[in-house]
Amino acid sequence: MAAAAELTLLEKCLGLSKGNKYSAQGERQIPVLQTNNGPSLTGLTTIAAHLVQQANKEYLLGSTAEEKAVVQQWLEYRVTQVDGHSSKDDIRTVLKDLNSYLEDKVYLTGYNFTLADILLYYGLHRFIVDLTVQEKEKYLNVSRWFCHIQHYPGIRQHLSSVVFIKNRLYTNSH
Amino acid sequence: MRLFVSEGAPGSLPVLAAAGRAQGRAELLISTVGPEECVVPFLTRPKVPVLQLDSGNYLFSTSAICRYFFLLSGWEQDDLTNQWLEWEATELQPALSAALYYLVVQGKKGEDVFSPVRRALTHIDHSLSRRSCPFLAGETESLADIVLWGALYPLLQDPAYLPEELGALHSWFQTLSSQEPCQRAAETVLKQQGVLALRPYLQKQPQPSFLEGRAVSNEPEEEELATLSEEEIAMAVAAWEKGLESLPPVQPQQNPVLPVAGEKNVLITSALPYVNNVPHLGNIIGCVLSADVFARYSRLRQWNTLYLCGTDEYGTATETKAMEEGLTPQEICDKYHVIHADIYRWFNISFDIFGRTTTPQQTKITQDIFQRLVARGFVLQDTVEQLRCEHCARFLADRFVEGMCPFCGYEEARGDQCDKCGKLINAIELKKPQCKVCRSCPVVKSSRHLFLDLPKLGKPLEEWLEKTLPGSDWTPNARFIIRSWLRDGLKPRCITRDLKWGTPVPLEGFEDKVFYVWFDATIGYLSITANYTDQWEKWWKNPEQVSLYQFMAKDNVPFHGLVFPCSALGAEDNYTLVSHLIATEYLNYEDGKFSKSRGVGVFGDMAQDTGIPADIWRFYLLYIRPEGQDSAFSWTDMLLKNNSELLNNLGNFINRAGMFVSKFFGGFVPEMVLTSDDRRLLAHVTLELQHYHQLLEKVRIRDALRSILTISRHGNQYIQVNEPWKRIKGSEADRQRAGTVTGLAVNIAALLSIMLQPYMPTVSPLFQKLENDQIESLRQRFSGGQAKAPPKPAAVETMTTAGPQQIQVLMDEVTKQGNTVRELKAQKADKNQVAAEVAKLLDLKKQLALAEGKPLETPKGKKKK
């Protein structure tokens, strides 16, 4: 998904009515937001955080110092690890690490839904839809988290809904 | 909390420098681990530094750790810092790890190390100097400074990698490096060993994967996007609002065009093509077409412009050709001159005169220059050994003799060059020479010839060059060629030949000889002008008021930049000499060379038969103009450039702008109420327009074409984002917005049509109705006049006219719709949505097939399981 399209989705789920315009820069098509008062903003997570503030939903950036740092860490992870590589092996490592991280967590920060969940959901969508039933079961915690986020009100929008099976089919495989 | 670090891990630098911020807020323990130790339980790959928080959670990103320390100290995050940190993670780090890998692991130095990071460093430097703040995010040192400083320190602490010209970066780096927390961090991590302290750690890391080739993207455009200042916007808007009255009055073209004292007078010549060859695409782009773009531009600027060219008709080759075809040389010239003229007419070359060198004026002017040279002692006589055919009773010029190559033994070597080994041959060295006409064996005889005494003219030549070259627009290759000729020393050059077909030599004892073409061909420019107007001397003996631009391929540089100037200087008759010598490199054909004898490549007369309009040819040839380096014509590339740039970018924009104005607003430019976005767009367009002027004034024709395409890209994006086709159906405010967007777009389209005129001057399938008389009215409208200005219908009906246009429009739409479908599929969008878009695509394809008169393709039935 192009970054501009993703930011438009984000605007909608933040309830921002006026659609911003984005241009894309360079080979990686980095989004640029031309703000009316001041210089332009460049970069997916930078613009996303800006939109969150615009919508007065700062809590999505985390409440404590720790939470804020964790949110930014996963946003960075999103643009460097999830977007940076697309070889199957790299993605498998991402899913494996995330699966292990999410073992004891509902959301990326623990118990609070944040911007990190939204952008990681958007970023992983194209990989998750391609997973086999067996793989979804292998990355069980990711699946649980992903399914949860896609049902979060207003997040999924036109993206296809990924089906997860509730009963386990491959109980012996791991 | 506990910080895990590793010996030589560069991430420790910013983390340690930032740790001080958290002092007193939390207890910080530091543990050193091995470079391959997995500290974070959920990460597969080892990662340091890592901060384990008291909650048990881990921060494994260097920036996140630094951010946390800053947050603890009460600092609040802001957009600018976020932007710097995102840039650091996505742009700087990949470049920097490549540079450090080269430097530390592979032991490379200098440019190898610096080149991956050059762009990133320049970006920081520009940002600092643009904002004129000492720090990245404002007046005080902050998170962004520490993170970037820490990342850059290992490389930049070696002054070799911190160039002086990046002054702002330099002082920023020095300021930070001298601060106490940074100093201490640097000492701890690098241990005064410099960058080698990182070696044990970096050696254990996988080789960084960095995207090569990223550095060559079209960054300058984007760089400018960012640097738009308020003043620039204000100026662009002011110019827009000023409207028509700020335009200079249009001056009718004079006939004949003559220079006017006090005005800019531009005399343009294109190298004279040799008459008995049909020019190929390389010849066309090399001189006539390049010169034509400049001439048209020059006329648009209302400079007094005379553009001339003609066929070079004298010489051996014409005589040979005449013999081959059983015609007289004059008949050959008459026949081929017409072929040339037709080709250039088809390519819409806007010569003021396309003449020829076989005229009485040519004889008169050449002989005059020659007499003056003789009178001033610049002509020498000498004896030359030459082959003479006793049977035909004449000396055999190079091409009239054939024989065995003295170097490779090839049987059919010509008198000047062997076609097999390519070596240059002196005709008398040929073994078993034969007269090409009667096949008898010629004998060596000596013959008297005249020489131009170039060594004697060297001094005035160098004085002239010293005066002319600095600040002129001579292309670098031309300067280089002239310099190397001067360095090798000038030698007398023979200026006569034993031929009949040429300008007679007006000297006793030389009645049966003519001038060698390279002495009199360049004089052709003067004689052709003299045939155009009897006041030709106003152009050619007026060096103070006339700027002479001469276009040619680089093989012609010595004659224009050296030999003719020597003749003209020696004649001491105040001739106008070349002010700007514009030489192209060579255009290859696909992977090889154009070859007339082998029939490889597209020649001028064939281009007409391809069914591709002349303007498309012009566009593509100019797009690949061998400016600065050789380039190659390629059919696939031509298709690609035409479809992507001309159709999808430029054509698409102009079509949409025109279509909206005629469909939604009845062909009248609607009222426009500018928002700040519109004003920014105006400023962007203005910036590109300035760029276009700067480039064309320097005759950088290919580069200026890029500016045009950039403007239409801006325009496309503007339409795409503002969606006037939707807004027109909306509320009153929406409709007004649609009007503004359409009005601005159609004005930009009008501007583009003018900017494009030098490149694509005539009716082309895409811009047909935006041409000729309507261009003038649209041009006036763009300068700010709106609906109240001349209410002529804006003119685009391209969609409904002839077949080929419709087909192109349809092909364009099919491509676009195809992309939409692919995008949706890639996004795994809902099936219904995809199906709907696919149906649209199939419908478009059907329309296209009908328009092309092709049988309908039956959809390939996918088997469903």
PDB file of all heavy atoms in Angstrom, chain A residues 21 28 42 44-46 50 66 73 76 97 100 129 158 160, chain B residues 42 44 55 60-61 79 83 86 91 222 677 680 721 827-828:
ATOM      1  N   LYS A  21      -3.248  16.385   1.668  1.00  0.00           N
ATOM      2  CA  LYS A  21      -2.666  15.966   0.390  1.00  0.00           C
ATOM      3  C   LYS A  21      -1.224  15.559   0.624  1.00  0.00           C
ATOM      4  O   LYS A  21      -0.507  16.233   1.331  1.00  0.00           O
ATOM      5  CB  LYS A  21      -2.694  17.128  -0.606  1.00  0.00           C
ATOM      6  CG  LYS A  21      -4.088  17.588  -0.864  1.00  0.00           C
ATOM      7  CD  LYS A  21      -4.109  19.023  -1.283  1.00  0.00           C
ATOM      8  CE  LYS A  21      -5.498  19.568  -1.116  1.00  0.00           C
ATOM      9  NZ  LYS A  21      -5.527  20.788  -0.353  1.00  0.00           N
ATOM     10  N   ARG A  28      11.905   5.643  -2.820  1.00  0.00           N
ATOM     11  CA  ARG A  28      11.114   4.876  -1.858  1.00  0.00           C
ATOM     12  C   ARG A  28       9.736   5.494  -1.645  1.00  0.00           C
ATOM     13  O   ARG A  28       8.956   5.030  -0.818  1.00  0.00           O
ATOM     14  CB  ARG A  28      11.864   4.760  -0.531  1.00  0.00           C
ATOM     15  CG  ARG A  28      13.168   3.967  -0.668  1.00  0.00           C
ATOM     16  CD  ARG A  28      13.675   3.492   0.672  1.00  0.00           C
ATOM     17  NE  ARG A  28      13.971   4.583   1.577  1.00  0.00           N
ATOM     18  CZ  ARG A  28      13.344   4.785   2.729  1.00  0.00           C
ATOM     19  NH1 ARG A  28      12.389   3.979   3.125  1.00  0.00           N
ATOM     20  NH2 ARG A  28      13.670   5.799   3.480  1.00  0.00           N
ATOM     21  N   THR A  42       8.115  15.175   6.454  1.00  0.00           N
ATOM     22  CA  THR A  42       8.491  14.056   5.612  1.00  0.00           C
ATOM     23  C   THR A  42       8.589  12.795   6.435  1.00  0.00           C
ATOM     24  O   THR A  42       9.166  12.811   7.529  1.00  0.00           O
ATOM     25  CB  THR A  42       9.850  14.340   4.944  1.00  0.00           C
ATOM     26  OG1 THR A  42       9.773  15.595   4.289  1.00  0.00           O
ATOM     27  CG2 THR A  42      10.199  13.258   3.936  1.00  0.00           C
ATOM     28  N   LEU A  44       6.648   8.633   6.968  1.00  0.00           N
ATOM     29  CA  LEU A  44       5.378   8.028   7.351  1.00  0.00           C
ATOM     30  C   LEU A  44       5.059   8.198   8.829  1.00  0.00           C
ATOM     31  O   LEU A  44       3.995   8.694   9.205  1.00  0.00           O
ATOM     32  CB  LEU A  44       5.402   6.539   6.987  1.00  0.00           C
ATOM     33  CG  LEU A  44       4.154   5.754   7.360  1.00  0.00           C
ATOM     34  CD1 LEU A  44       3.020   6.093   6.408  1.00  0.00           C
ATOM     35  CD2 LEU A  44       4.425   4.257   7.345  1.00  0.00           C
ATOM     36  N   THR A  45       5.983   7.811   9.689  1.00  0.00           N
ATOM     37  CA  THR A  45       5.661   7.829  11.119  1.00  0.00           C
ATOM     38  C   THR A  45       5.618   9.267  11.642  1.00  0.00           C
ATOM     39  O   THR A  45       4.850   9.575  12.539  1.00  0.00           O
ATOM     40  CB  THR A  45       6.670   7.007  11.928  1.00  0.00           C
ATOM     41  OG1 THR A  45       7.939   7.654  11.882  1.00  0.00           O
ATOM     42  CG2 THR A  45       6.803   5.606  11.370  1.00  0.00           C
ATOM     43  N   THR A  46       6.434  10.126  11.056  1.00  0.00           N
ATOM     44  CA  THR A  46       6.427  11.530  11.462  1.00  0.00           C
ATOM     45  C   THR A  46       5.064  12.158  11.182  1.00  0.00           C
ATOM     46  O   THR A  46       4.476  12.817  12.044  1.00  0.00           O
ATOM     47  CB  THR A  46       7.512  12.289  10.679  1.00  0.00           C
ATOM     48  OG1 THR A  46       8.763  11.657  10.895  1.00  0.00           O
ATOM     49  CG2 THR A  46       7.580  13.737  11.119  1.00  0.00           C
ATOM     50  N   HIS A  50       1.995  13.348  13.717  1.00  0.00           N
ATOM     51  CA  HIS A  50       1.449  14.690  13.559  1.00  0.00           C
ATOM     52  C   HIS A  50      -0.075  14.637  13.445  1.00  0.00           C
ATOM     53  O   HIS A  50      -0.789  15.441  14.056  1.00  0.00           O
ATOM     54  CB  HIS A  50       2.065  15.341  12.318  1.00  0.00           C
ATOM     55  CG  HIS A  50       1.480  16.659  11.963  1.00  0.00           C
ATOM     56  ND1 HIS A  50       1.829  17.825  12.623  1.00  0.00           N
ATOM     57  CD2 HIS A  50       0.558  17.002  11.031  1.00  0.00           C
ATOM     58  CE1 HIS A  50       1.141  18.830  12.100  1.00  0.00           C
ATOM     59  NE2 HIS A  50       0.372  18.366  11.133  1.00  0.00           N
ATOM     60  N   GLU A  66       7.895   5.812  29.308  1.00  0.00           N
ATOM     61  CA  GLU A  66       8.211   4.480  28.808  1.00  0.00           C
ATOM     62  C   GLU A  66       7.339   4.140  27.607  1.00  0.00           C
ATOM     63  O   GLU A  66       7.817   3.686  26.569  1.00  0.00           O
ATOM     64  CB  GLU A  66       8.022   3.448  29.924  1.00  0.00           C
ATOM     65  CG  GLU A  66       8.232   2.036  29.438  1.00  0.00           C
ATOM     66  CD  GLU A  66       8.172   1.003  30.566  1.00  0.00           C
ATOM     67  OE1 GLU A  66       8.387   1.372  31.739  1.00  0.00           O
ATOM     68  OE2 GLU A  66       7.915  -0.184  30.271  1.00  0.00           O
ATOM     69  N   GLN A  73       9.585   3.241  19.248  1.00  0.00           N
ATOM     70  CA  GLN A  73      10.449   2.129  18.874  1.00  0.00           C
ATOM     71  C   GLN A  73       9.763   1.228  17.854  1.00  0.00           C
ATOM     72  O   GLN A  73      10.367   0.810  16.865  1.00  0.00           O
ATOM     73  CB  GLN A  73      10.810   1.327  20.124  1.00  0.00           C
ATOM     74  CG  GLN A  73      11.280  -0.080  19.826  1.00  0.00           C
ATOM     75  CD  GLN A  73      11.999  -0.693  21.000  1.00  0.00           C
ATOM     76  OE1 GLN A  73      13.083  -0.264  21.349  1.00  0.00           O
ATOM     77  NE2 GLN A  73      11.389  -1.674  21.629  1.00  0.00           N
ATOM     78  N   GLU A  76       9.496   2.913  14.486  1.00  0.00           N
ATOM     79  CA  GLU A  76      10.769   2.793  13.767  1.00  0.00           C
ATOM     80  C   GLU A  76      10.929   1.385  13.202  1.00  0.00           C
ATOM     81  O   GLU A  76      11.362   1.194  12.065  1.00  0.00           O
ATOM     82  CB  GLU A  76      11.929   3.121  14.720  1.00  0.00           C
ATOM     83  CG  GLU A  76      13.295   3.053  14.039  1.00  0.00           C
ATOM     84  CD  GLU A  76      14.455   3.161  15.043  1.00  0.00           C
ATOM     85  OE1 GLU A  76      14.386   3.998  15.964  1.00  0.00           O
ATOM     86  OE2 GLU A  76      15.421   2.389  14.895  1.00  0.00           O
ATOM     87  N   ASP A  97       9.816 -12.834  15.716  1.00  0.00           N
ATOM     88  CA  ASP A  97      10.151 -11.950  16.835  1.00  0.00           C
ATOM     89  C   ASP A  97       8.904 -11.329  17.436  1.00  0.00           C
ATOM     90  O   ASP A  97       8.742 -11.255  18.656  1.00  0.00           O
ATOM     91  CB  ASP A  97      11.111 -10.844  16.368  1.00  0.00           C
ATOM     92  CG  ASP A  97      12.503 -11.403  16.069  1.00  0.00           C
ATOM     93  OD1 ASP A  97      12.696 -12.622  16.249  1.00  0.00           O
ATOM     94  OD2 ASP A  97      13.376 -10.624  15.653  1.00  0.00           O
ATOM     95  N   SER A 100       6.922 -13.779  19.453  1.00  0.00           N
ATOM     96  CA  SER A 100       7.511 -13.994  20.763  1.00  0.00           C
ATOM     97  C   SER A 100       7.265 -12.782  21.674  1.00  0.00           C
ATOM     98  O   SER A 100       6.960 -12.917  22.855  1.00  0.00           O
ATOM     99  CB  SER A 100       8.980 -14.309  20.531  1.00  0.00           C
ATOM    100  OG  SER A 100       9.737 -14.005  21.633  1.00  0.00           O
ATOM    101  N   VAL A 129      -2.121 -11.557   4.848  1.00  0.00           N
ATOM    102  CA  VAL A 129      -3.120 -12.160   3.954  1.00  0.00           C
ATOM    103  C   VAL A 129      -2.544 -13.343   3.192  1.00  0.00           C
ATOM    104  O   VAL A 129      -3.281 -14.220   2.770  1.00  0.00           O
ATOM    105  CB  VAL A 129      -3.704 -11.185   2.908  1.00  0.00           C
ATOM    106  CG1 VAL A 129      -4.768 -10.322   3.495  1.00  0.00           C
ATOM    107  CG2 VAL A 129      -2.619 -10.373   2.250  1.00  0.00           C
ATOM    108  N   HIS A 158     -11.226  -0.290   3.887  1.00  0.00           N
ATOM    109  CA  HIS A 158     -11.434  -1.099   2.678  1.00  0.00           C
ATOM    110  C   HIS A 158     -10.501  -2.298   2.584  1.00  0.00           C
ATOM    111  O   HIS A 158     -10.617  -3.104   1.684  1.00  0.00           O
ATOM    112  CB  HIS A 158     -11.298  -0.240   1.412  1.00  0.00           C
ATOM    113  CG  HIS A 158      -9.878  -0.001   1.017  1.00  0.00           C
ATOM    114  ND1 HIS A 158      -9.199   1.144   1.332  1.00  0.00           N
ATOM    115  CD2 HIS A 158      -9.000  -0.791   0.356  1.00  0.00           C
ATOM    116  CE1 HIS A 158      -7.974   1.065   0.871  1.00  0.00           C
ATOM    117  NE2 HIS A 158      -7.809  -0.095   0.274  1.00  0.00           N
ATOM    118  N   SER A 160      -8.967  -5.894   3.042  1.00  0.00           N
ATOM    119  CA  SER A 160      -9.716  -7.133   3.183  1.00  0.00           C
ATOM    120  C   SER A 160      -9.562  -7.683   4.595  1.00  0.00           C
ATOM    121  O   SER A 160      -8.537  -7.500   5.246  1.00  0.00           O
ATOM    122  CB  SER A 160      -9.232  -8.154   2.160  1.00  0.00           C
ATOM    123  OG  SER A 160      -7.871  -8.427   2.392  1.00  0.00           O
TER     124      SER A 160
ATOM    125  N   PHE B  42      13.157 -11.773  22.893  1.00  0.00           N
ATOM    126  CA  PHE B  42      12.255 -12.009  21.764  1.00  0.00           C
ATOM    127  C   PHE B  42      12.878 -11.679  20.407  1.00  0.00           C
ATOM    128  O   PHE B  42      12.231 -11.838  19.384  1.00  0.00           O
ATOM    129  CB  PHE B  42      10.930 -11.254  21.955  1.00  0.00           C
ATOM    130  CG  PHE B  42      11.079  -9.776  22.174  1.00  0.00           C
ATOM    131  CD1 PHE B  42      11.175  -8.907  21.090  1.00  0.00           C
ATOM    132  CD2 PHE B  42      11.095  -9.245  23.465  1.00  0.00           C
ATOM    133  CE1 PHE B  42      11.297  -7.556  21.285  1.00  0.00           C
ATOM    134  CE2 PHE B  42      11.219  -7.878  23.656  1.00  0.00           C
ATOM    135  CZ  PHE B  42      11.325  -7.030  22.576  1.00  0.00           C
ATOM    136  N   THR B  44      15.509 -12.417  17.393  1.00  0.00           N
ATOM    137  CA  THR B  44      16.318 -13.494  16.860  1.00  0.00           C
ATOM    138  C   THR B  44      17.764 -13.061  16.700  1.00  0.00           C
ATOM    139  O   THR B  44      18.694 -13.809  16.975  1.00  0.00           O
ATOM    140  CB  THR B  44      15.781 -13.919  15.481  1.00  0.00           C
ATOM    141  OG1 THR B  44      14.384 -14.141  15.609  1.00  0.00           O
ATOM    142  CG2 THR B  44      16.447 -15.171  14.979  1.00  0.00           C
ATOM    143  N   SER B  55      10.338  -2.120  34.360  1.00  0.00           N
ATOM    144  CA  SER B  55       9.122  -2.902  34.152  1.00  0.00           C
ATOM    145  C   SER B  55       9.436  -4.261  33.546  1.00  0.00           C
ATOM    146  O   SER B  55       8.560  -5.116  33.433  1.00  0.00           O
ATOM    147  CB  SER B  55       8.193  -2.149  33.196  1.00  0.00           C
ATOM    148  OG  SER B  55       8.821  -2.056  31.926  1.00  0.00           O
ATOM    149  N   PHE B  60      15.179  -1.659  22.379  1.00  0.00           N
ATOM    150  CA  PHE B  60      16.299  -2.173  21.590  1.00  0.00           C
ATOM    151  C   PHE B  60      16.674  -1.243  20.447  1.00  0.00           C
ATOM    152  O   PHE B  60      17.526  -1.564  19.629  1.00  0.00           O
ATOM    153  CB  PHE B  60      15.971  -3.568  21.045  1.00  0.00           C
ATOM    154  CG  PHE B  60      14.699  -3.620  20.247  1.00  0.00           C
ATOM    155  CD1 PHE B  60      14.715  -3.286  18.892  1.00  0.00           C
ATOM    156  CD2 PHE B  60      13.483  -3.975  20.850  1.00  0.00           C
ATOM    157  CE1 PHE B  60      13.550  -3.327  18.164  1.00  0.00           C
ATOM    158  CE2 PHE B  60      12.325  -4.001  20.114  1.00  0.00           C
ATOM    159  CZ  PHE B  60      12.344  -3.680  18.765  1.00  0.00           C
ATOM    160  N   SER B  61      16.002  -0.088  20.363  1.00  0.00           N
ATOM    161  CA  SER B  61      16.361   0.870  19.330  1.00  0.00           C
ATOM    162  C   SER B  61      17.167   1.989  19.964  1.00  0.00           C
ATOM    163  O   SER B  61      16.786   2.537  20.994  1.00  0.00           O
ATOM    164  CB  SER B  61      15.095   1.426  18.670  1.00  0.00           C
ATOM    165  OG  SER B  61      15.205   2.815  18.454  1.00  0.00           O
ATOM    166  N   ASP B  79       7.294  17.345  16.147  1.00  0.00           N
ATOM    167  CA  ASP B  79       7.327  16.842  14.766  1.00  0.00           C
ATOM    168  C   ASP B  79       8.725  16.855  14.168  1.00  0.00           C
ATOM    169  O   ASP B  79       9.152  15.919  13.515  1.00  0.00           O
ATOM    170  CB  ASP B  79       6.422  17.701  13.864  1.00  0.00           C
ATOM    171  CG  ASP B  79       4.950  17.411  14.115  1.00  0.00           C
ATOM    172  OD1 ASP B  79       4.650  16.339  14.678  1.00  0.00           O
ATOM    173  OD2 ASP B  79       4.106  18.246  13.753  1.00  0.00           O
ATOM    174  N   GLN B  83      10.822  13.787  12.785  1.00  0.00           N
ATOM    175  CA  GLN B  83      11.234  13.722  11.389  1.00  0.00           C
ATOM    176  C   GLN B  83      12.721  13.400  11.259  1.00  0.00           C
ATOM    177  O   GLN B  83      13.130  12.577  10.465  1.00  0.00           O
ATOM    178  CB  GLN B  83      10.902  15.045  10.699  1.00  0.00           C
ATOM    179  CG  GLN B  83      11.344  15.095   9.252  1.00  0.00           C
ATOM    180  CD  GLN B  83      10.758  16.293   8.529  1.00  0.00           C
ATOM    181  OE1 GLN B  83       9.611  16.316   8.143  1.00  0.00           O
ATOM    182  NE2 GLN B  83      11.577  17.315   8.355  1.00  0.00           N
ATOM    183  N   GLU B  86      13.269   9.721  12.225  1.00  0.00           N
ATOM    184  CA  GLU B  86      12.827   8.790  11.181  1.00  0.00           C
ATOM    185  C   GLU B  86      13.813   8.809  10.011  1.00  0.00           C
ATOM    186  O   GLU B  86      14.180   7.777   9.465  1.00  0.00           O
ATOM    187  CB  GLU B  86      11.422   9.156  10.682  1.00  0.00           C
ATOM    188  CG  GLU B  86      10.917   8.145   9.644  1.00  0.00           C
ATOM    189  CD  GLU B  86       9.448   8.339   9.249  1.00  0.00           C
ATOM    190  OE1 GLU B  86       8.783   9.222   9.819  1.00  0.00           O
ATOM    191  OE2 GLU B  86       8.985   7.601   8.358  1.00  0.00           O
ATOM    192  N   GLU B  91      17.216   6.687   6.314  1.00  0.00           N
ATOM    193  CA  GLU B  91      18.112   7.178   5.268  1.00  0.00           C
ATOM    194  C   GLU B  91      19.572   7.187   5.707  1.00  0.00           C
ATOM    195  O   GLU B  91      20.436   6.684   5.016  1.00  0.00           O
ATOM    196  CB  GLU B  91      17.720   8.604   4.847  1.00  0.00           C
ATOM    197  CG  GLU B  91      16.305   8.740   4.341  1.00  0.00           C
ATOM    198  CD  GLU B  91      16.149   8.225   2.914  1.00  0.00           C
ATOM    199  OE1 GLU B  91      17.049   8.464   2.090  1.00  0.00           O
ATOM    200  OE2 GLU B  91      15.133   7.584   2.636  1.00  0.00           O
ATOM    201  N   GLU B 222      13.533  17.378  -5.865  1.00  0.00           N
ATOM    202  CA  GLU B 222      12.907  17.293  -4.561  1.00  0.00           C
ATOM    203  C   GLU B 222      13.550  18.253  -3.579  1.00  0.00           C
ATOM    204  O   GLU B 222      12.891  18.838  -2.748  1.00  0.00           O
ATOM    205  CB  GLU B 222      13.006  15.868  -4.036  1.00  0.00           C
ATOM    206  CG  GLU B 222      12.064  14.960  -4.782  1.00  0.00           C
ATOM    207  CD  GLU B 222      12.663  13.605  -5.033  1.00  0.00           C
ATOM    208  OE1 GLU B 222      13.634  13.265  -4.351  1.00  0.00           O
ATOM    209  OE2 GLU B 222      12.162  12.902  -5.910  1.00  0.00           O
ATOM    210  N   ASP B 677      -2.285  26.384  -0.995  1.00  0.00           N
ATOM    211  CA  ASP B 677      -1.757  25.287  -1.813  1.00  0.00           C
ATOM    212  C   ASP B 677      -1.527  25.748  -3.247  1.00  0.00           C
ATOM    213  O   ASP B 677      -0.524  25.406  -3.869  1.00  0.00           O
ATOM    214  CB  ASP B 677      -2.738  24.113  -1.826  1.00  0.00           C
ATOM    215  CG  ASP B 677      -2.628  23.295  -0.558  1.00  0.00           C
ATOM    216  OD1 ASP B 677      -1.603  23.463   0.141  1.00  0.00           O
ATOM    217  OD2 ASP B 677      -3.552  22.522  -0.275  1.00  0.00           O
ATOM    218  N   ARG B 680       1.491  27.865  -3.516  1.00  0.00           N
ATOM    219  CA  ARG B 680       2.718  27.052  -3.505  1.00  0.00           C
ATOM    220  C   ARG B 680       2.952  26.439  -4.876  1.00  0.00           C
ATOM    221  O   ARG B 680       4.068  26.385  -5.361  1.00  0.00           O
ATOM    222  CB  ARG B 680       2.612  25.921  -2.478  1.00  0.00           C
ATOM    223  CG  ARG B 680       2.615  26.358  -1.054  1.00  0.00           C
ATOM    224  CD  ARG B 680       2.836  25.164  -0.141  1.00  0.00           C
ATOM    225  NE  ARG B 680       4.240  24.784  -0.140  1.00  0.00           N
ATOM    226  CZ  ARG B 680       5.137  25.340   0.665  1.00  0.00           C
ATOM    227  NH1 ARG B 680       4.777  26.276   1.520  1.00  0.00           N
ATOM    228  NH2 ARG B 680       6.385  24.959   0.615  1.00  0.00           N
ATOM    229  N   VAL B 721      -4.847  15.264  -6.480  1.00  0.00           N
ATOM    230  CA  VAL B 721      -5.130  15.500  -5.074  1.00  0.00           C
ATOM    231  C   VAL B 721      -6.430  16.289  -4.906  1.00  0.00           C
ATOM    232  O   VAL B 721      -7.214  16.048  -3.997  1.00  0.00           O
ATOM    233  CB  VAL B 721      -3.935  16.256  -4.443  1.00  0.00           C
ATOM    234  CG1 VAL B 721      -4.354  16.936  -3.162  1.00  0.00           C
ATOM    235  CG2 VAL B 721      -2.784  15.306  -4.198  1.00  0.00           C
ATOM    236  N   GLN B 827      -2.963  -4.719  -2.749  1.00  0.00           N
ATOM    237  CA  GLN B 827      -3.419  -4.357  -1.404  1.00  0.00           C
ATOM    238  C   GLN B 827      -4.346  -5.403  -0.812  1.00  0.00           C
ATOM    239  O   GLN B 827      -4.811  -5.256   0.307  1.00  0.00           O
ATOM    240  CB  GLN B 827      -4.207  -3.041  -1.460  1.00  0.00           C
ATOM    241  CG  GLN B 827      -3.374  -1.821  -1.677  1.00  0.00           C
ATOM    242  CD  GLN B 827      -4.263  -0.622  -1.879  1.00  0.00           C
ATOM    243  OE1 GLN B 827      -5.421  -0.616  -1.464  1.00  0.00           O
ATOM    244  NE2 GLN B 827      -3.731   0.401  -2.509  1.00  0.00           N
ATOM    245  N   LYS B 828      -4.644  -6.409  -1.626  1.00  0.00           N
ATOM    246  CA  LYS B 828      -5.596  -7.441  -1.203  1.00  0.00           C
ATOM    247  C   LYS B 828      -6.923  -6.794  -0.844  1.00  0.00           C
ATOM    248  O   LYS B 828      -7.518  -7.092   0.195  1.00  0.00           O
ATOM    249  CB  LYS B 828      -5.063  -8.226   0.011  1.00  0.00           C
ATOM    250  CG  LYS B 828      -3.620  -8.641  -0.102  1.00  0.00           C
ATOM    251  CD  LYS B 828      -3.505  -9.873  -0.946  1.00  0.00           C
ATOM    252  CE  LYS B 828      -2.021 -10.203  -1.127  1.00  0.00           C
ATOM    253  NZ  LYS B 828      -1.809 -11.170  -2.184  1.00  0.00           N
TER     254      LYS B 828
END
